């Protein structure tokens, strides 16, 4: 009780026991700023990673595209410049035909070197097929001719075993009846044992009677069996 009978007046400080509000607001604000900064950093890192990955994929695709284009160009160039491979025979072979470039002897037939002759492990010189490997060969010849009397056709051999003398291997004779000219042909073929250095050639009675309309009408060849 106060002096004079009046109650005592107390002054109460209502803010004395409560925490300071501005401090909590500052803490929340700081935490929010840290979270935003962290989020920004995470998003930035993610975007940088995506950008790097995109660059890597682009460079890889470009490298693959360039490699594919280069391979296609090389393949096209190879198709342009590469000729088809030629299958080579397994044994010696020769096949010759007549041709307009050929000048026959009076009796010895000549053969064209402009008509893509087949010569594998065998040579040709002055109407002769030259043997390079010893062995058994099938020898053949066909000629077409026009005659009114006798015409003979043979395949002869020239060999060192007979001191270079020629001997007939195959021979045929055709006889025409009557005065009119007769178109005919003769084919010869047989198997012979030939030695290296041997020469075989075709001989006729008169080469001026040979028909030469088509190159394949007159042929000469041999192949090892």
């Amino acid at each position: 009780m106060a002096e004079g009978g009046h109650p005592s007046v107390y002054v109460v400080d209502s803010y004395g026991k409560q925490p300071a509000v501005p401090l909590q607001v500052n803490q929340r604000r700081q935490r929010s700023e840290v979270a935003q900064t962290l989020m920004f950093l995470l998003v930035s890192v993610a975007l940088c990673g995506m950008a790097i990955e995109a660059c890597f994929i682009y460079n890889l695709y470009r490298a693959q595209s360039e490699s594919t284009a280069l391979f296609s160009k090389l393949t096209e160039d190879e198709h342009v410049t590469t000729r088809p491979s030629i299958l080579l025979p397994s044994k010696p072979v020769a096949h010759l035909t007549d041709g307009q470039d050929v000048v026959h002897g009076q009796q010895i037939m000549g053969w064209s070197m402009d008509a893509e002759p087949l010569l594998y492990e065998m040579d040709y010189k002055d109407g002769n097929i030259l043997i390079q490997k010893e062995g058994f060969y099938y020898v053949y010849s066909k000629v077409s001719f026009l005659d009114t009397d006798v015409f003979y056709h043979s395949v002869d051999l020239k060999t060192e075993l007979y001191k270079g003398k020629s001997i007939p291997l195959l021979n045929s004779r055709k006889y025409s009846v009557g005065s009119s000219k007769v178109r005919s042909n003769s084919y010869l073929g047989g198997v012979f044992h030939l030695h290296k250095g041997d020469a075989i050639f075709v001989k006729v009675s008169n080469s001026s009677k040979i028909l030469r309309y088509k190159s394949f009408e007159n042929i000469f060849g041999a192949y090892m069996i």
Side-chain angles (χ1 to χ4, degrees), residues 94-98 109-111 129 140-144 153 155 186-188 202 214-222:
H95 180 79
L96 309 176
T97 61
D98 200 355
M109 294 278 290
W111 305 98
I129 292 178
Y140 61 91
S141 175
K142 174 183 175 292
V143 296
S144 300
H153 166 217
V155 176
S186 171
Y187 180 85
L188 301 172
V202 176
K214 302 292 184 180
S215 61
F216 53 79
E217 290 183 313
N218 305 306
I219 60 173
F220 176 39

Side-chain angles (χ1 to χ4, degrees), residues 139-193:
V139 180
Y140 61 91
S141 175
K142 174 183 175 292
V143 296
S144 300
F145 61 92
L146 196 63
D147 206 356
T148 57
D149 47 22
V150 180
F151 183 89
Y152 72 80
H153 166 217
S154 66
V155 176
D156 290 15
L157 167 67
K158 187 185 296 183
T159 176
E160 293 298 328
L161 297 177
Y162 294 94
K163 297 181 180 180
K165 296 180 179 180
S166 60
I167 57 174
L169 296 179
L170 301 163
N171 189 293
S172 72
R173 291 178 181 270
K174 293 290 182 86
Y175 298 90
S176 300
V177 179
S179 58
S180 61
K181 292 184 178 181
V182 178
R183 178 187 175 96
S184 185
N185 64 76
S186 171
Y187 180 85
L188 301 172
V191 176
F192 302 93
H193 182 253

Side-chain angles (χ1 to χ4, degrees), residues 8-224:
S8 300
V9 178
Y10 296 92
V11 178
V12 179
D13 187 3
S14 58
Y15 298 97
K17 297 181 180 180
Q18 294 182 358
V21 175
L23 180 62
Q24 292 180 352
V25 172
N26 288 335
Q27 289 178 348
R28 291 177 182 176
R29 184 177 298 172
Q30 290 177 356
R31 290 176 182 176
S32 177
E33 291 177 354
V34 171
Q36 290 179 357
T37 303
L38 181 61
M39 182 63 69
F40 176 77
L41 291 175
L42 291 176
V43 172
S44 299
V45 170
L47 291 176
C48 290
M50 293 176 63
I52 294 173
E53 184 178 2
C55 292
F56 176 77
I57 293 175
Y58 171 75
N59 291 329
L60 180 62
Y61 174 78
R62 186 176 63 178
Q64 290 179 345
S65 300
E66 292 176 353
S67 300
T68 303
L70 179 60
F71 178 77
S72 299
K73 185 177 184 302
L74 292 175
T75 303
E76 292 176 357
D77 294 341
E78 183 178 358
H79 285 313
V80 171
T81 59
T82 302
R83 299 182 64 184
S85 60
I86 300 175
L87 179 63
L88 296 178
S90 59
K91 294 182 180 181
V93 60
H95 180 79
L96 309 176
T97 61
D98 200 355
Q100 297 302 318
D101 60 304
V102 177
V103 177
H104 297 301
Q106 183 177 357
Q107 293 184 320
I108 306 301
M109 294 278 290
W111 305 98
S112 175
M113 291 293 102
D114 294 340
E116 297 184 356
L118 173 60
L119 286 167
Y120 179 72
E121 294 186 342
M122 302 179 79
D123 289 333
Y124 172 80
K125 182 179 181 182
D126 299 331
N128 297 272
I129 292 178
L130 306 178
I131 305 300
Q132 301 298 312
K133 288 186 177 182
E134 180 180 355
F136 286 92
Y137 289 80
Y138 181 80
V139 180
Y140 61 91
S141 175
K142 174 183 175 292
V143 296
S144 300
F145 61 92
L146 196 63
D147 206 356
T148 57
D149 47 22
V150 180
F151 183 89
Y152 72 80
H153 166 217
S154 66
V155 176
D156 290 15
L157 167 67
K158 187 185 296 183
T159 176
E160 293 298 328
L161 297 177
Y162 294 94
K163 297 181 180 180
K165 296 180 179 180
S166 60
I167 57 174
L169 296 179
L170 301 163
N171 189 293
S172 72
R173 291 178 181 270
K174 293 290 182 86
Y175 298 90
S176 300
V177 179
S179 58
S180 61
K181 292 184 178 181
V182 178
R183 178 187 175 96
S184 185
N185 64 76
S186 171
Y187 180 85
L188 301 172
V191 176
F192 302 93
H193 182 253
L194 302 177
H195 297 82
K196 182 179 180 180
D198 287 351
I200 53 177
F201 59 94
V202 176
K203 188 176 180 181
V204 296
S205 55
N206 189 344
S207 64
S208 64
K209 298 178 180 180
I210 295 295
L211 297 174
R212 307 178 66 182
Y213 297 122
K214 302 292 184 180
S215 61
F216 53 79
E217 290 183 313
N218 305 306
I219 60 173
F220 176 39
Y223 57 87
M224 181 182 284

